[in-house]
Amino acid sequence: AVVALFRVLRLDERRLYPVLFTCFFTGFFLVNTVFTWPQLMAAAYFIMSLCFVLRWRETGSLLRMVLAGLAFAWSFLSHSGVAFAAPVIAIFMLPRFSWAYVKAASCFVGTFIVAMLPWKFYCSWFAPPGNRLIKWHIGGVEPLNDAGTWETIRATYSQLTLQTWWDGRLKNLSMLIGYWPPLSDVLVYRQQQYFRMVQTVDYLLLGVVIWMVYLAVGKTRNHEERSFFAKLGLGLLLSLIFWMVAMIIPSSTVVHQGSYAVVVLGFVGAAYFLWALWKPLALVLVAVGIARFAWIWLGIPEYVMMNPETFCELNLKALSRLILGFLALVAVSSDVVWNRIAKMAQKYAR
């Protein structure tokens, strides 16, 4: 999905593999490739939906919006938390408000609704009520009951005072930010990088800062690149605000209860701008980041019980798979490698 995004936007592909390499060596991608759950799949479908929207902006083809709606539906079916990333899609659609926009938006929404109908039918008839997560996270009621979705939400908000609601939003913001424990306490660091958004991004926060500076004062000849990252940054910010406001239970904005599409796009943008620095400096920063990653996630005997059942061992296996996967990706995608293999084959054939 990230490769497709680079190709659609015609971004500098010299940064593609460094960006993927940087993302691989983070706790977020490590943990979420060890666990088998659909969050990253939802993020991939969401990014594909974004790619189709971007192609629609270039070509005006309604087929692109049909495919975008279908990909977004698959993303939502994979994990409904992707709904919190909807502002990202909206930001790239709204600037073209016209009759063509209305038709395109209708294709997107219509395809999404049609694709969701089988799941809605299943939830309503075979596994009712099918609205527990919405009533839990948006309505604040966890136990199963027969109340409707809007009835639950109205009842919850009618009992809130403005001060209570605001305190809950501040607690959601606090949960999102987290705190920085001592680096020696690797187990707490793992928990922070799993639950808290800011700690998940970790040293790539520097890339976020460079991203903002670039948008504020940077000069570029690639106006499409600047426009994309400006809209993406705004969309991600609005998505985080939407998430903090919508999650009614205080301190419930933990990473796995939100949209991984927001996290992945944030990682890609931050890594992209980190590699825009002077290359030796970028290499040093990434090397430091990988060293932090190794310290926190590979396990130190003093802090982690070393036995076959530990999460540490799973991480080591996952890391080896990530490294092999990255090398395979480079090998398959690099014309240079294939050319060398072809020349070697011709040499030995002679």
Side-chain angles (χ1 to χ4, degrees):
V2 172
V3 173
L5 186 63
F6 264 72
R7 300 280 166 79
V8 168
L9 291 169
R10 302 179 185 86
L11 296 177
D12 185 357
E13 293 202 14
R14 291 173 298 179
R15 297 189 213 172
L16 173 58
Y17 294 115
V19 165
L20 295 177
F21 179 82
T22 304
C23 292
F24 283 159
F25 287 96
T26 60
F28 171 79
F29 285 96
L30 179 59
V31 170
N32 290 285
T33 51
V34 171
F35 292 157
T36 303
W37 61 355
Q39 286 270 38
L40 282 180
M41 184 168 65
Y45 281 133
F46 181 89
I47 294 173
M48 293 305 297
S49 178
L50 178 61
C51 288
F52 284 125
V53 170
L54 293 171
R55 289 292 293 156
W56 163 75
R57 287 174 59 84
E58 291 183 4
T59 64
S61 170
L62 293 180
L63 176 61
R64 304 293 182 184
M65 293 305 290
V66 171
L67 294 174
L70 184 61
F72 187 75
W74 287 345
S75 177
F76 190 86
L77 289 169
S78 299
H79 192 276
S80 56
V82 78
F84 295 120
V88 175
I89 294 287
I91 286 294
F92 285 96
M93 292 177 62
L94 288 176
R96 287 195 170 187
F97 188 81
S98 62
W99 174 240
Y101 159 79
V102 172
K103 291 192 294 184
S106 300
C107 288
F108 181 94
V109 175
T111 304
F112 173 79
I113 292 174
V114 171
M116 291 295 298
L117 284 177
W119 176 248
K120 180 61 178 175
F121 176 78
Y122 173 81
C123 291
S124 299
W125 292 93
F126 295 99
N131 59 358
R132 187 185 181 190
L133 284 178
I134 297 178
K135 292 195 295 184
W136 180 0
H137 295 300
I138 310 300
V141 176
E142 180 179 354
L144 283 172
N145 57 51
D146 296 328
T149 301
W150 295 112
E151 179 185 353
T152 301
I153 294 173
R154 283 196 301 267
T156 298
Y157 275 87
S158 66
Q159 299 171 11
L160 289 177
T161 64
L162 182 59
Q163 185 60 48
T164 303
W165 179 86
W166 179 249
D167 290 342
R169 300 322 96 206
L170 292 179
K171 288 181 180 179
N172 278 349
L173 177 61
S174 177
M175 176 61 71
L176 188 147
I177 295 174
Y179 69 96
W180 300 95
L183 193 55
S184 59
D185 198 344
V186 294
L187 296 182
V188 175
Y189 240 104
R190 290 181 182 188
Q191 293 174 353
Q192 290 290 301
Q193 289 196 353
Y194 178 74
F195 289 109
R196 312 295 183 95
M197 181 68 73
V198 172
Q199 277 68 35
T200 294
V201 180
D202 198 42
Y203 77 97
L204 284 176
L205 285 172
L206 177 59
V208 176
V209 173
I210 299 171
W211 186 349
M212 291 187 294
V213 171
Y214 165 79
L215 294 178
V217 299
K219 295 181 179 180
T220 179
R221 296 179 180 178
N222 191 341
H223 297 291
E224 290 185 4
E225 177 188 88
R226 186 188 189 91
S227 174
F228 168 76
F229 281 108
K231 292 173 182 175
L232 178 61
L234 178 59
L236 295 179
L237 177 61
L238 292 176
S239 296
L240 292 176
I241 294 173
F242 177 32
W243 184 33
M244 288 187 293
V245 171
M247 297 289 279
I248 192 61
I249 301 175
S251 302
S252 60
T253 48
V254 291
V255 171
H256 65 278
Q257 291 185 170
S259 171
Y260 276 23
V262 171
V263 184
V264 173
L265 288 171
F267 264 109
V268 170
Y272 186 84
F273 283 102
L274 187 67
W275 283 101
L277 294 173
W278 183 48
K279 290 299 181 290
L281 177 58
L283 286 169
V284 170
L285 292 173
V286 172
V288 171
I290 292 175
R292 283 172 54 83
F293 166 83
W295 174 265
I296 295 169
W297 288 100
L298 298 192
I300 308 299
E302 301 165 15
Y303 303 106
V304 181
M305 294 184 300
M306 301 298 288
N307 62 67
E309 302 300 324
T310 57
F311 190 52
C312 174
E313 183 168 342
L314 290 175
N315 286 342
L316 286 169
K317 293 178 180 178
L319 178 60
S320 66
R321 287 198 297 270
L322 284 174
I323 295 174
L324 291 174
F326 175 74
L327 293 176
L329 183 65
V330 173
V332 170
S333 302
S334 174
D335 292 336
V336 175
V337 172
W338 282 114
N339 288 337
R340 289 182 180 178
I341 292 175
K343 289 180 179 179
M344 290 176 62
Q346 292 175 0
K347 179 180 179 181
Y348 285 109
R350 293 173 183 173

